[in-house]
């Protein structure tokens, strides 16, 4: 059975880059969690159209609080954390799945 992978992204006014970010990992992840901290542009709309579950989080000048909120929404056994302006280089799905299935490591840095 394939290991479930969740993508978690914290955003605010990222309409220019959110789709590139999601598109770079869509084929790898089972769910997309976007936590919005007050966008006034089309970030939320674009994320929803891309299949993300979008949650609002009032910004409290505490990045860790926003990150922990995002992680709490994720159901995957593994969590991929990206900033909205990051894209993952192309990876082979089978090789990526092997990494996640391995019990040798608790985390990876990509």
């Amino acid at each position: 059975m394939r290991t479930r992978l969740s993508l978690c992204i914290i955003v605010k006014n990222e309409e220019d880059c959110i789709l590139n970010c999601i598109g770079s990992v869509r084929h790898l992840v089972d769910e997309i969690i976007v936590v919005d901290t007050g966008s006034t542009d089309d970030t939320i709309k674009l994320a929803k159209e891309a299949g993300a579950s979008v949650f609002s989080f009032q910004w409290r000048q505490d990045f860790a609080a926003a990150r922990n909120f995002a992680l709490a929404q994720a159901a995957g056994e593994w969590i991929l954390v990206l900033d909205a302006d990051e894209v993952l280089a192309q990876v082979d799905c089978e090789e990526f799945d092997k990494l996640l299935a391995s019990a040798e490591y608790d985390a990876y840095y990509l």
Side-chain angles (χ1 to χ4, degrees):
M1 183 164 75
R2 186 173 177 274
T3 304
R4 285 185 47 85
L5 175 65
S6 301
L7 170 66
C8 288
I9 312 170
I10 297 170
V11 299
K12 182 175 180 184
N13 294 331
E14 303 286 359
E15 70 181 3
D16 293 338
C17 54
I18 187 77
L19 293 180
N20 287 334
C21 178
I22 292 172
S24 75
V25 296
R26 178 188 310 279
H27 63 293
L28 299 172
V29 301
D30 298 292
E31 70 174 343
I32 303 164
I33 304 296
V34 172
V35 173
D36 183 75
T37 61
S39 292
T40 57
D41 64 1
D42 283 334
T43 300
I44 294 172
K45 176 181 170 274
L46 294 171
K48 286 180 178 179
E49 288 174 356
S53 297
V54 178
F55 300 88
S56 293
F57 184 83
Q58 186 172 350
W59 183 245
R60 302 184 297 222
Q61 303 301 319
D62 184 351
F63 189 79
R67 175 69 70 219
N68 288 336
F69 178 80
L71 297 176
Q73 309 314 307
E77 297 165 82
W78 282 89
I79 299 173
L80 175 61
V81 175
L82 292 175
D83 290 339
D85 62 350
E86 294 180 311
V87 295
L88 188 63
Q90 189 172 10
V91 291
D92 178 82
C93 290
E94 287 184 33
E95 290 299 316
F96 197 80
D97 287 344
K98 286 179 188 176
L99 291 173
L100 298 183
S102 171
E104 188 174 349
Y105 298 103
D106 294 324
Y108 293 100
Y109 179 77
L110 305 171

